[in-house]
């Protein structure tokens, strides 16, 4: 087995660099989510059913899951600056291909390519965790995740509004330009880092599977996020169909407005990170799961229609966003404390599972909406979050139940999990 590569003391992350990394996470991840708001426009222009156009979202998320599994482990093996800039350049090519696609199959393939390579946030977040003192790791992770959330939610506002004005292709082409600017900024600003391992690529891939098999706390974190993120993806994918359908008959900018309301959740993740630093991840997970179930109930008010229904939808989606993203802060704080030398591989296992759950959630959301309407989607959200809560409640019956304690100052680079 290859040994870890020794490295000098890591550079300290400055506040401007943390801000840039947060923006980078948002810009990169937006490429996965902005198609959710413009799928009705894609359906109209390419003359396919709205449910068929939603496959673009599923392909992007599947591509993201595959990219996390195949590419994110390289964050432990290669220097971050070269890896990140190369991936962003390929993402830009995929966005241009998507923006010029003339058929749904071509667009689906391009979306999968974009998803495959826009995994930069899942490389930057473990990198930042490794350059941060243990007692601040939750707060810094929360700050980067707040940028991630901003990208996820503002992406829908950006694409819904721009798509209504200039057509569905415009968001793809504008995003390609933004990715190019981001590439140049990160090429100049990313610190010099030394790989933490000299393992060969097949061993890196196998290591993620090995960690998933041997680390109970990693498995539990994955199970939580698979279920809650599936609920999140189901709701957002079906929402575009619901409010552009006969019940509301609104345009795609309405999806963007609801997403803009949900973007307030980006301010919750730094708070969640500080709670994790003080209390540990399990109490934060519990609150988030209960919040996700409550969001499913609140989303039912969308049936009221009109302004009241839209307010209910906005409040429900905001609560669901806060629950999902704050839960992710807790989950990642838990896994990053397990093995400091393998954070990218831990994150690979975790995020691959999460986005497989997200892809399944998008598919289930469309099917639930087609079969049972909006009530079916709300029920699906509550069911998935309820299963996560059940797993959390039953954790004490299993040997892996022990949680990672809240980190104390000056305890070293990683906080050992209690087994």
């Amino acid at each position: 087995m290859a040994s870890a590569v020794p490295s000098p003391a890591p550079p300290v992350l400055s506040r401007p660099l943390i801000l840039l990394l947060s923006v980078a996470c948002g810009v990169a991840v937006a490429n996965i989510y902005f198609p959710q708001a413009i799928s009705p426009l894609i359906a109209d222009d390419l003359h396919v059913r709205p449910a068929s156009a939603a496959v673009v979202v599923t392909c992007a998320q599947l591509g993201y899951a595959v990219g996390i599994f195949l590419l994110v482990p390289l964050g432990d093996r290669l220097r971050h600056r070269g890896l990140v800039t190369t991936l962003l350049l390929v993402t830009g090519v995929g966005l241009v291909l998507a923006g010029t696609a003339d058929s749904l199959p071509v667009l689906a393939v391009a979306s999968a390519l974009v998803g495959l390579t826009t995994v930069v946030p899942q490389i930057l977040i473990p990198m930042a965790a490794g350059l941060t003192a243990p007692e601040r790791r939750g707060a810094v992770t929360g700050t980067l995740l707040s940028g991630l959330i901003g990208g996820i939610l503002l992406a829908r506002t950006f694409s819904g509004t721009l798509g209504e004005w200039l057509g569905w292709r415009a968001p793809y082409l504008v995003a390609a330009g933004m990715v190019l600017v981001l590439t140049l900024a990160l090429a100049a600003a990313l610190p010099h880092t030394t790989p933490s391992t000299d393992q060969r690529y097949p061993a890196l891939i196998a290591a993620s599977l090995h960690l998933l098999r041997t680390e109970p706390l990693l498995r539990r974190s994955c199970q939580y996020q698979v279920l809650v993120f599936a609920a999140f993806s189901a709701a957002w994918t079906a929402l575009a169909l619901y409010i552009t359908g006969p019940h509301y008959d609104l345009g795609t900018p309405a999806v963007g407005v609801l997403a803009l309301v949900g973007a307030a959740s980006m301010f919750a993740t730094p708070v969640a990170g500080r709670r994790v630093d003080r209390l540990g991840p399990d109490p934060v997970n519990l609150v988030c799961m209960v919040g996700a179930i409550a969001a499913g109930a609140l989303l039912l008010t969308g049936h009221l229609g009109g302004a009241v229904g839209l307010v209910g939808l906005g409040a429900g989606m905001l609560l669901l966003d806060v629950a999902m993203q704050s839960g992710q802060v807790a989950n990642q704080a838990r896994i990053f404390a397990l093995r400091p030398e393998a954070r990218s591989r831990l994150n690979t296992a975790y995020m691959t599972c999460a986005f497989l759950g997200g892809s399944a959630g998008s598919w289930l959301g469309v099917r639930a909406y087609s079969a049972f309407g909006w009530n079916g989607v709300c029920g699906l959200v509550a069911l998935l979050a309820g299963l996560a809560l059940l797993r959390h409640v039953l954790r004490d019956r299993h040997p892996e139940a022990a949680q990672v304690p809240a980190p104390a100052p000056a305890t070293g680079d990683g906080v050992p999990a209690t087994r």
Side-chain angles (χ1 to χ4, degrees):
M1 179 175 179
S3 60
V5 176
S7 60
V12 177
L13 290 181
S14 65
R15 289 185 181 274
L17 180 55
I18 292 173
L19 177 60
L20 176 60
L21 295 178
S22 180
V23 171
C25 288
V27 171
V29 81
N31 299 320
I32 305 301
Y33 292 94
F34 73 72
Q36 288 179 340
I38 58 173
S39 61
L41 299 177
I42 293 172
D44 288 342
D45 186 60
L46 298 182
H47 309 294
V48 298
R49 294 185 300 111
S52 298
V55 74
V56 172
V57 178
T58 301
C59 286
Q61 291 184 335
L62 280 174
Y64 198 64
V66 173
I68 289 169
F69 183 71
L70 295 180
L71 300 178
V72 170
L74 293 172
D76 288 333
R77 179 66 177 82
L78 303 177
R79 298 186 189 278
H80 291 102
R81 184 184 298 171
L83 175 61
V84 166
T85 54
T86 300
L87 290 175
L88 286 174
L89 286 174
V90 179
T91 298
V93 172
L95 288 166
V96 171
L97 178 61
T100 56
D102 58 0
S103 67
L104 185 61
V106 173
L107 179 57
V109 170
S111 295
L113 174 63
V114 170
L116 181 72
T117 57
T118 192
V119 294
V120 165
Q122 307 313 326
I123 296 172
L124 294 180
I125 291 173
M127 181 199 77
L131 300 178
T132 305
E135 64 271 16
R136 294 191 61 244
R137 193 166 291 140
V140 171
T141 299
T143 300
L144 265 63
L145 283 174
S146 72
L148 196 80
I149 297 164
I152 290 172
L153 299 175
L154 295 177
R156 301 181 182 97
T157 305
F158 153 77
S159 64
T161 303
L162 192 61
E164 189 74 13
W165 290 346
L166 301 176
W168 67 267
R169 299 177 187 275
Y172 283 101
L173 299 177
V174 172
M178 294 173 65
V179 165
L180 176 61
V181 172
L182 178 63
T183 303
L184 297 175
L186 290 177
L190 280 180
H192 175 84
T193 57
T194 302
S196 63
T197 181
D198 57 4
Q199 284 185 313
R200 300 182 65 177
Y201 180 71
L204 285 175
I205 300 300
S208 297
L209 296 173
H210 176 74
L211 288 167
L212 190 61
R213 186 172 64 253
T214 58
E215 293 288 348
L217 292 175
L218 173 61
R219 286 200 303 275
R220 179 152 66 88
S221 296
C222 291
Q223 290 160 0
Y224 290 169
Q225 195 66 8
V226 162
L227 291 165
V228 177
F229 191 43
F232 173 88
S233 297
W236 272 111
T237 303
L239 182 69
L241 302 176
Y242 185 48
I243 67 174
T244 59
H247 193 78
Y248 283 95
D249 196 26
L250 298 174
T252 53
V255 183
V257 171
L258 287 176
L260 190 60
V261 172
S265 64
M266 66 189 294
F267 300 107
T269 49
V271 176
R274 290 191 290 272
R275 294 290 185 274
V276 171
D277 286 338
R278 288 202 296 269
L279 304 174
D282 275 1
V284 175
N285 277 132
L286 176 61
V287 172
C288 292
M289 292 165 189
V290 173
I293 295 172
L298 186 55
L299 288 171
L300 286 170
T301 60
H303 268 305
L304 298 175
V308 174
L310 286 174
V311 169
L313 289 173
M317 296 307 295
L318 173 59
L319 180 56
L320 184 58
D321 293 342
V322 169
M324 192 278 289
Q325 301 290 358
S326 298
Q328 175 147 310
V329 174
N331 291 331
Q332 289 190 304
R334 184 186 291 111
I335 68 170
F336 289 156
L338 295 175
R339 297 194 187 184
E341 79 285 358
R343 289 195 177 99
S344 286
R345 284 160 284 176
L346 287 163
N347 203 42
T348 293
Y350 171 78
M351 292 304 302
T352 300
C353 291
F355 272 87
L356 287 174
S359 300
S362 295
W363 185 85
L364 289 172
V366 172
R367 295 320 180 266
Y369 181 74
S370 299
F372 306 108
W374 185 245
N375 280 346
V377 176
C378 297
L380 177 63
V381 169
L383 174 63
L384 292 169
L387 289 174
L389 178 60
L390 180 63
R391 173 66 180 93
H392 187 69
V393 169
L394 295 178
R395 73 192 187 283
D396 290 335
R397 299 182 182 181
H398 301 282
E400 69 267 27
Q403 71 173 26
V404 177
T411 57
D413 186 51
V415 181
T418 302
R419 299 295 174 83

